[in-house]
Short mmCIF file of all heavy atoms in Angstrom, two decimals:
data_model
loop_
_atom_site.label_atom_id
_atom_site.label_comp_id
_atom_site.label_asym_id
_atom_site.label_seq_id
_atom_site.Cartn_x
_atom_site.Cartn_y
_atom_site.Cartn_z
N THR U 941 -5.89 95.01 16.27
CA THR U 941 -6.76 94.15 15.47
C THR U 941 -8.21 94.45 15.83
O THR U 941 -8.63 94.25 16.99
CB THR U 941 -6.48 92.66 15.72
OG1 THR U 941 -5.11 92.38 15.46
CG2 THR U 941 -7.34 91.80 14.81
N TYR U 942 -8.95 94.96 14.86
CA TYR U 942 -10.37 95.23 15.06
C TYR U 942 -11.19 94.04 14.58
O TYR U 942 -10.93 93.48 13.51
CB TYR U 942 -10.79 96.49 14.28
CG TYR U 942 -10.17 97.76 14.78
CD1 TYR U 942 -9.05 98.31 14.15
CD2 TYR U 942 -10.69 98.43 15.88
CE1 TYR U 942 -8.46 99.48 14.60
CE2 TYR U 942 -10.12 99.61 16.34
CZ TYR U 942 -9.02 100.12 15.69
OH TYR U 942 -8.43 101.30 16.15
N PHE U 943 -12.17 93.68 15.38
CA PHE U 943 -13.08 92.57 15.07
C PHE U 943 -14.48 93.13 14.95
O PHE U 943 -14.93 93.90 15.81
CB PHE U 943 -13.02 91.52 16.19
CG PHE U 943 -14.02 90.40 16.04
CD1 PHE U 943 -13.67 89.23 15.40
CD2 PHE U 943 -15.31 90.52 16.55
CE1 PHE U 943 -14.59 88.19 15.26
CE2 PHE U 943 -16.23 89.49 16.42
CZ PHE U 943 -15.86 88.33 15.77
N MET U 944 -15.19 92.74 13.90
CA MET U 944 -16.56 93.22 13.73
C MET U 944 -17.46 92.07 13.32
O MET U 944 -17.03 91.07 12.75
CB MET U 944 -16.62 94.34 12.70
CG MET U 944 -16.34 93.94 11.28
SD MET U 944 -15.46 95.19 10.31
CE MET U 944 -13.81 95.08 11.00
N SER U 945 -18.73 92.21 13.64
CA SER U 945 -19.76 91.24 13.23
C SER U 945 -21.09 91.96 13.28
O SER U 945 -21.18 93.11 13.74
CB SER U 945 -19.76 90.02 14.17
OG SER U 945 -20.08 90.41 15.50
N ASN U 946 -22.13 91.29 12.82
CA ASN U 946 -23.45 91.88 12.97
C ASN U 946 -24.07 91.39 14.29
O ASN U 946 -23.47 90.59 15.00
CB ASN U 946 -24.35 91.57 11.78
CG ASN U 946 -24.87 90.14 11.79
OD1 ASN U 946 -24.37 89.28 12.51
ND2 ASN U 946 -25.85 89.87 10.96
N GLY U 947 -25.24 91.86 14.61
CA GLY U 947 -25.90 91.43 15.84
C GLY U 947 -25.87 92.50 16.92
O GLY U 947 -25.69 93.69 16.65
N GLU U 948 -26.00 92.06 18.16
CA GLU U 948 -26.13 92.98 19.29
C GLU U 948 -24.77 93.29 19.90
O GLU U 948 -23.93 92.40 20.08
CB GLU U 948 -27.03 92.34 20.34
CG GLU U 948 -27.43 93.26 21.47
CD GLU U 948 -28.44 92.60 22.40
OE1 GLU U 948 -29.64 92.58 22.08
OE2 GLU U 948 -28.00 92.11 23.46
N ASP U 949 -24.53 94.56 20.20
CA ASP U 949 -23.27 94.93 20.83
C ASP U 949 -23.36 94.72 22.34
O ASP U 949 -24.34 94.17 22.87
CB ASP U 949 -22.87 96.36 20.46
CG ASP U 949 -23.74 97.43 21.10
OD1 ASP U 949 -24.63 97.10 21.92
OD2 ASP U 949 -23.54 98.63 20.79
N ASP U 950 -22.34 95.18 23.08
CA ASP U 950 -22.32 94.97 24.53
C ASP U 950 -23.25 95.91 25.29
O ASP U 950 -23.34 95.83 26.52
CB ASP U 950 -20.89 95.15 25.05
CG ASP U 950 -19.99 93.97 24.68
OD1 ASP U 950 -20.53 92.86 24.50
OD2 ASP U 950 -18.77 94.16 24.56
N PHE U 951 -23.93 96.78 24.57
CA PHE U 951 -24.85 97.73 25.20
C PHE U 951 -26.29 97.48 24.76
O PHE U 951 -27.16 98.33 24.98
CB PHE U 951 -24.42 99.16 24.88
CG PHE U 951 -22.98 99.43 25.23
CD1 PHE U 951 -21.98 99.34 24.27
CD2 PHE U 951 -22.61 99.76 26.53
CE1 PHE U 951 -20.65 99.58 24.59
CE2 PHE U 951 -21.28 100.01 26.86
CZ PHE U 951 -20.30 99.91 25.89
N GLY U 952 -26.52 96.36 24.10
CA GLY U 952 -27.88 95.99 23.71
C GLY U 952 -28.36 96.61 22.42
O GLY U 952 -29.56 96.55 22.12
N GLU U 953 -27.45 97.20 21.64
CA GLU U 953 -27.84 97.85 20.40
C GLU U 953 -27.52 96.96 19.21
O GLU U 953 -26.42 96.37 19.13
CB GLU U 953 -27.11 99.18 20.26
CG GLU U 953 -27.69 100.10 19.20
CD GLU U 953 -27.12 101.52 19.30
OE1 GLU U 953 -26.23 101.76 20.14
OE2 GLU U 953 -27.57 102.38 18.52
N ASN U 954 -28.45 96.84 18.27
CA ASN U 954 -28.27 95.97 17.10
C ASN U 954 -27.72 96.73 15.92
O ASN U 954 -28.07 97.89 15.69
CB ASN U 954 -29.60 95.32 16.71
CG ASN U 954 -29.89 94.09 17.53
OD1 ASN U 954 -29.20 93.08 17.42
ND2 ASN U 954 -30.90 94.18 18.40
N GLY U 955 -26.89 96.07 15.14
CA GLY U 955 -26.31 96.63 13.94
C GLY U 955 -24.98 95.95 13.67
O GLY U 955 -24.81 94.76 13.92
N ILE U 956 -24.01 96.72 13.17
CA ILE U 956 -22.65 96.25 13.00
C ILE U 956 -21.85 96.71 14.22
O ILE U 956 -21.79 97.91 14.51
CB ILE U 956 -22.01 96.79 11.71
CG1 ILE U 956 -22.84 96.38 10.48
CG2 ILE U 956 -20.58 96.30 11.60
CD1 ILE U 956 -23.00 94.88 10.31
N SER U 957 -21.24 95.77 14.93
CA SER U 957 -20.50 96.12 16.14
C SER U 957 -19.00 95.95 15.91
O SER U 957 -18.57 95.12 15.10
CB SER U 957 -20.95 95.28 17.32
OG SER U 957 -20.65 93.91 17.10
N LEU U 958 -18.21 96.72 16.65
CA LEU U 958 -16.76 96.74 16.50
C LEU U 958 -16.11 96.70 17.88
O LEU U 958 -16.58 97.34 18.83
CB LEU U 958 -16.33 98.02 15.77
CG LEU U 958 -14.84 98.16 15.43
CD1 LEU U 958 -14.45 97.18 14.33
CD2 LEU U 958 -14.54 99.60 14.98
N CYS U 959 -15.03 95.92 17.97
CA CYS U 959 -14.22 95.89 19.19
C CYS U 959 -12.79 95.57 18.80
O CYS U 959 -12.50 95.27 17.64
CB CYS U 959 -14.76 94.88 20.20
SG CYS U 959 -14.68 93.16 19.64
N GLU U 960 -11.89 95.61 19.77
CA GLU U 960 -10.51 95.18 19.55
C GLU U 960 -10.30 93.81 20.19
O GLU U 960 -10.90 93.50 21.23
CB GLU U 960 -9.53 96.18 20.15
CG GLU U 960 -9.48 97.52 19.45
CD GLU U 960 -8.51 98.47 20.11
OE1 GLU U 960 -7.42 98.00 20.50
OE2 GLU U 960 -8.85 99.66 20.25
N ILE U 961 -9.46 92.98 19.55
CA ILE U 961 -9.11 91.69 20.11
C ILE U 961 -7.59 91.52 20.13
O ILE U 961 -6.86 92.23 19.41
CB ILE U 961 -9.75 90.52 19.33
CG1 ILE U 961 -9.20 90.45 17.89
CG2 ILE U 961 -11.26 90.63 19.32
CD1 ILE U 961 -9.60 89.18 17.13
N ASP U 962 -7.14 90.61 20.95
CA ASP U 962 -5.74 90.18 20.93
C ASP U 962 -5.62 89.09 19.88
O ASP U 962 -6.19 88.01 20.03
CB ASP U 962 -5.36 89.64 22.31
CG ASP U 962 -3.91 89.19 22.40
OD1 ASP U 962 -3.29 88.93 21.34
OD2 ASP U 962 -3.39 89.07 23.52
N ILE U 963 -4.91 89.35 18.80
CA ILE U 963 -4.87 88.43 17.68
C ILE U 963 -4.10 87.15 18.03
O ILE U 963 -4.24 86.12 17.35
CB ILE U 963 -4.28 89.10 16.42
CG1 ILE U 963 -4.61 88.28 15.17
CG2 ILE U 963 -2.79 89.32 16.58
CD1 ILE U 963 -6.08 88.06 14.90
N ASP U 964 -3.32 87.16 19.09
CA ASP U 964 -2.61 85.95 19.49
C ASP U 964 -3.51 84.97 20.25
O ASP U 964 -3.30 83.76 20.19
CB ASP U 964 -1.40 86.30 20.36
CG ASP U 964 -0.33 87.04 19.57
OD1 ASP U 964 -0.16 86.75 18.37
OD2 ASP U 964 0.33 87.92 20.16
N THR U 965 -4.49 85.51 20.95
CA THR U 965 -5.32 84.65 21.81
C THR U 965 -6.80 84.68 21.47
O THR U 965 -7.55 83.81 21.93
CB THR U 965 -5.17 85.07 23.28
OG1 THR U 965 -5.71 86.40 23.44
CG2 THR U 965 -3.71 85.06 23.70
N GLY U 966 -7.24 85.69 20.71
CA GLY U 966 -8.66 85.86 20.44
C GLY U 966 -9.40 86.59 21.54
O GLY U 966 -10.61 86.83 21.42
N LYS U 967 -8.72 86.97 22.61
CA LYS U 967 -9.37 87.64 23.73
C LYS U 967 -9.90 89.01 23.33
O LYS U 967 -9.22 89.78 22.65
CB LYS U 967 -8.39 87.81 24.89
CG LYS U 967 -8.98 88.48 26.12
CD LYS U 967 -7.95 88.62 27.23
CE LYS U 967 -8.53 89.33 28.44
NZ LYS U 967 -7.52 89.50 29.52
N VAL U 968 -11.13 89.30 23.73
CA VAL U 968 -11.74 90.60 23.44
C VAL U 968 -11.16 91.62 24.41
O VAL U 968 -11.19 91.44 25.64
CB VAL U 968 -13.27 90.53 23.57
CG1 VAL U 968 -13.88 91.91 23.37
CG2 VAL U 968 -13.84 89.54 22.55
N LEU U 969 -10.64 92.73 23.89
CA LEU U 969 -9.93 93.73 24.69
C LEU U 969 -10.79 94.94 25.04
O LEU U 969 -10.50 95.64 26.02
CB LEU U 969 -8.67 94.19 23.95
CG LEU U 969 -7.65 93.11 23.61
CD1 LEU U 969 -6.49 93.72 22.82
CD2 LEU U 969 -7.14 92.42 24.87
N THR U 970 -11.80 95.24 24.23
CA THR U 970 -12.63 96.42 24.46
C THR U 970 -14.09 96.04 24.31
O THR U 970 -14.42 95.06 23.62
CB THR U 970 -12.30 97.54 23.46
OG1 THR U 970 -12.62 97.10 22.14
CG2 THR U 970 -10.82 97.92 23.53
N PRO U 971 -15.00 96.79 24.91
CA PRO U 971 -16.42 96.51 24.69
C PRO U 971 -16.80 96.66 23.22
O PRO U 971 -16.28 97.53 22.52
CB PRO U 971 -17.13 97.57 25.55
CG PRO U 971 -16.12 97.99 26.56
CD PRO U 971 -14.79 97.90 25.87
N ALA U 972 -17.67 95.80 22.77
CA ALA U 972 -18.17 95.89 21.39
C ALA U 972 -19.21 96.99 21.30
O ALA U 972 -20.17 97.01 22.09
CB ALA U 972 -18.75 94.55 20.95
N LYS U 973 -19.00 97.88 20.33
CA LYS U 973 -19.90 99.04 20.17
C LYS U 973 -20.52 99.01 18.78
O LYS U 973 -19.85 98.76 17.79
CB LYS U 973 -19.11 100.33 20.35
CG LYS U 973 -19.93 101.60 20.11
CD LYS U 973 -19.05 102.84 20.13
CE LYS U 973 -19.87 104.09 19.76
NZ LYS U 973 -19.02 105.31 19.69
N CYS U 974 -21.82 99.27 18.71
CA CYS U 974 -22.51 99.37 17.42
C CYS U 974 -22.02 100.62 16.70
O CYS U 974 -22.11 101.74 17.22
CB CYS U 974 -24.01 99.45 17.63
SG CYS U 974 -24.96 99.62 16.08
N ILE U 975 -21.50 100.43 15.49
CA ILE U 975 -20.98 101.57 14.72
C ILE U 975 -21.88 101.93 13.55
O ILE U 975 -21.73 103.01 12.97
CB ILE U 975 -19.55 101.30 14.22
CG1 ILE U 975 -19.52 100.08 13.29
CG2 ILE U 975 -18.59 101.13 15.39
CD1 ILE U 975 -18.19 99.88 12.58
N CYS U 976 -22.81 101.04 13.18
CA CYS U 976 -23.66 101.33 12.02
C CYS U 976 -24.91 100.49 12.08
O CYS U 976 -24.85 99.28 12.36
CB CYS U 976 -22.89 101.04 10.73
SG CYS U 976 -23.82 101.42 9.22
N LYS U 977 -26.05 101.10 11.82
CA LYS U 977 -27.33 100.40 11.76
C LYS U 977 -27.81 100.22 10.32
O LYS U 977 -28.90 99.71 10.09
CB LYS U 977 -28.39 101.16 12.57
CG LYS U 977 -28.18 101.08 14.07
CD LYS U 977 -29.28 101.83 14.80
CE LYS U 977 -29.24 101.57 16.28
NZ LYS U 977 -29.57 100.17 16.62
N GLY U 978 -27.01 100.68 9.35
CA GLY U 978 -27.39 100.51 7.96
C GLY U 978 -28.30 101.60 7.47
O GLY U 978 -28.44 102.67 8.08
N THR U 979 -28.96 101.33 6.35
CA THR U 979 -29.84 102.32 5.72
C THR U 979 -31.31 102.07 6.02
O THR U 979 -32.16 102.78 5.51
CB THR U 979 -29.64 102.31 4.20
OG1 THR U 979 -30.12 101.06 3.67
CG2 THR U 979 -28.18 102.49 3.83
N GLY U 980 -31.59 101.03 6.80
CA GLY U 980 -32.97 100.67 7.08
C GLY U 980 -33.41 99.38 6.43
O GLY U 980 -34.51 98.90 6.68
N GLY U 981 -32.54 98.80 5.60
CA GLY U 981 -32.87 97.51 5.00
C GLY U 981 -32.77 96.39 6.02
O GLY U 981 -32.05 96.48 7.02
N ARG U 982 -33.48 95.31 5.79
CA ARG U 982 -33.47 94.21 6.74
C ARG U 982 -32.16 93.42 6.66
O ARG U 982 -31.46 93.43 5.65
CB ARG U 982 -34.64 93.26 6.47
CG ARG U 982 -34.61 92.58 5.11
CD ARG U 982 -35.77 91.62 4.96
NE ARG U 982 -35.72 90.96 3.65
CZ ARG U 982 -36.46 89.90 3.33
NH1 ARG U 982 -37.30 89.41 4.21
NH2 ARG U 982 -36.36 89.37 2.14
N PHE U 983 -31.84 92.75 7.75
CA PHE U 983 -30.72 91.80 7.82
C PHE U 983 -29.39 92.44 7.44
O PHE U 983 -28.70 91.98 6.54
CB PHE U 983 -30.98 90.58 6.94
CG PHE U 983 -32.25 89.85 7.22
CD1 PHE U 983 -33.00 89.31 6.18
CD2 PHE U 983 -32.71 89.69 8.52
CE1 PHE U 983 -34.17 88.63 6.44
CE2 PHE U 983 -33.89 89.01 8.78
CZ PHE U 983 -34.63 88.48 7.74
N ILE U 984 -29.00 93.49 8.13
CA ILE U 984 -27.67 94.05 7.88
C ILE U 984 -26.63 93.00 8.29
O ILE U 984 -26.71 92.40 9.36
CB ILE U 984 -27.47 95.38 8.61
CG1 ILE U 984 -26.11 95.98 8.23
CG2 ILE U 984 -27.66 95.26 10.11
CD1 ILE U 984 -25.91 97.40 8.72
N GLU U 985 -25.66 92.75 7.41
CA GLU U 985 -24.73 91.65 7.63
C GLU U 985 -23.47 91.88 6.78
O GLU U 985 -23.36 92.87 6.07
CB GLU U 985 -25.38 90.31 7.25
CG GLU U 985 -25.89 90.27 5.84
CD GLU U 985 -26.77 89.06 5.55
OE1 GLU U 985 -26.84 88.15 6.40
OE2 GLU U 985 -27.39 89.01 4.47
#
Side-chain angles (χ1 to χ4, degrees):
T941 304
Y942 293 99
F943 174 93
M944 69 215 73
S945 62
N946 75 345
E948 189 175 279
D949 71 4
D950 287 333
F951 306 96
E953 194 168 4
N954 277 293
I956 302 301
S957 64
L958 184 71
C959 64
E960 292 179 41
I961 65 170
D962 181 340
I963 197 58
D964 293 326
T965 65
K967 181 181 178 181
V968 176
L969 301 177
T970 64
K973 176 187 175 184
C974 179
I975 61 171
C976 182
K977 289 181 170 293
T979 68
R982 62 177 181 168
F983 304 142
I984 184 170
E985 57 191 350

